[in-house]
Amino acid sequence: RATVVPHRPHRVTDRSQSRILAMTQRAIVAEPDDDEVVQERWARGALDENAIADHLERFLEAEDNEARSTVFSAILGGTHVYVFAPSVILNRNFYTIVTMGLSGTEMKVPTEIDNGALYARAELMMYLPATWTMPQCLGGTVTKESWPFELLRAIVGYVHDTGAWLGEDHGIPNLLSSPPGQPVVPGSKLTHSILLVPPHDADDFSTVQVSEGRVNLFLVVPLTSAEAQWKREVGAAASIHRIVGDKRIGGQQVAVDYVIDTERPCAVEDLGCRDR
């Protein structure tokens, strides 16, 4: 049975990891690449969709959710999203949505990071409540049902356009809004996101080894502006790792659940977590 555990930061085991963690605090400004390069990335899609899909199904699919799991493709093409329904067998009472299309782009990992190829490819995921109403389609107007799907696709598009590196604990403003960093939908306080290694009791869940390299899976957890600012000031370990977790285990002591809640309060401004 797969279980979700409270978030714990990864232990720093070598100098390369130390550099990676330090670099999550940098403000990264990426410029669009040449049109030809960008078009090749969009056309490439996932690095090895069959291998990645097999990996996801091994951990996220069971007899009681297989028939309800599906794939969403956009009206005009582009990144599609795998949807794994809740499963009692797997002890996952939430939807898991996963991008399929980012890993074909080799991100520009900074040269000072050792073994950069291990961190250059990724796919993204989010957890949605079991009561979530699925969108009719992707690629149209962003709605209260579609915004998680479109947010993931927007992050993928940003990497396709720029080759920018995304890794553990990196923060991203809401790319669906103009300017970026506005609420994901009217009335919500969620304006940013952080990338975390997805919690799972299987150590090999968060990475997929394919013939051309390694693909890392990251859980996208939406944040408020105040939470994102707190992270920028003190780092993820001293801020976001303290407030994000599994409410099924930690109950009300967990300020921000891994499973998204569009209308949740701000852990900093409303719950006072920064002062605890």
Side-chain angles (χ1 to χ4, degrees):
R1 291 161 61 91
T3 58
V4 179
V5 298
H7 191 75
R8 295 189 297 270
H10 277 187
R11 289 193 306 164
V12 177
T13 56
D14 55 41
R15 286 187 174 181
S16 179
Q17 284 291 88
S18 297
R19 295 190 191 103
I20 292 172
L21 294 179
M23 293 185 69
T24 64
Q25 296 311 111
R26 294 186 183 179
I28 300 174
V29 178
E31 297 294 333
D33 283 322
D34 293 338
D35 288 345
E36 184 176 347
V37 173
V38 172
Q39 290 174 8
E40 289 178 357
R41 290 175 181 154
W42 280 97
R44 177 68 171 85
L47 186 61
D48 186 337
E49 181 164 351
N50 289 335
I52 297 172
D54 288 345
H55 177 90
L56 295 172
E57 290 167 2
R58 180 160 64 96
F59 290 101
L60 303 177
E61 204 166 79
E63 291 180 4
D64 63 342
N65 75 341
E66 183 177 4
R68 295 177 292 126
S69 298
T70 188
V71 179
F72 276 88
S73 298
I75 298 174
L76 299 177
T79 302
H80 43 284
V81 180
Y82 278 55
V83 179
F84 295 92
S87 167
V88 174
I89 294 175
L90 298 176
N91 191 29
R92 298 176 71 87
N93 63 342
F94 47 84
Y95 285 97
T96 303
I97 64 174
V98 190
T99 62
M100 192 66 72
L102 172 58
S103 57
T105 293
E106 184 173 5
M107 297 180 286
K108 302 172 184 176
V109 180
T111 56
E112 58 262 45
I113 292 184
D114 298 334
N115 300 314
L118 296 178
Y119 311 103
R121 299 183 186 275
E123 294 291 352
L124 308 175
M125 56 198 303
M126 292 181 82
Y127 297 158
L128 310 183
T131 56
W132 195 270
T133 301
M134 290 293 128
Q136 295 296 314
C137 60
L138 301 184
T141 302
V142 176
T143 66
K144 63 180 181 179
E145 294 84 16
S146 70
W147 75 260
F149 296 81
E150 298 299 355
L151 179 60
L152 293 183
R153 283 162 39 83
I155 298 173
V156 172
Y158 166 72
V159 175
H160 283 338
D161 289 344
T162 64
W165 175 49
L166 300 179
E168 182 180 359
D169 290 341
H170 284 193
I172 307 169
N174 173 25
L175 298 178
L176 294 174
S177 65
S178 182
Q182 303 303 306
V184 292
V185 289
S188 176
K189 296 183 178 182
L190 305 180
T191 59
H192 291 68
S193 296
I194 185 172
L195 273 58
L196 301 176
V197 173
H200 201 286
D201 64 350
D203 292 337
D204 57 345
F205 171 68
S206 63
T207 59
V208 187
Q209 194 66 41
V210 300
S211 60
E212 296 181 58
R214 189 176 84 173
V215 176
N216 301 288
L217 301 178
F218 291 111
L219 179 67
V220 177
V221 177
L223 303 174
T224 67
S225 294
E227 293 162 359
Q229 180 62 31
W230 185 22
K231 170 191 173 294
R232 285 192 291 270
E233 292 175 4
V234 303
S239 57
I240 307 306
H241 292 182
R242 291 172 46 195
I243 61 175
V244 175
D246 186 345
K247 281 185 175 288
R248 299 177 306 169
I249 298 174
Q252 294 306 310
Q253 305 220 351
V254 175
V256 179
D257 197 5
Y258 289 122
V259 180
I260 66 171
D261 178 357
T262 308
E263 300 178 352
R264 73 168 176 84
C266 175
V268 173
E269 295 178 339
D270 299 321
L271 303 181
C273 291
R274 183 166 186 165
D275 300 324
R276 295 178 185 173

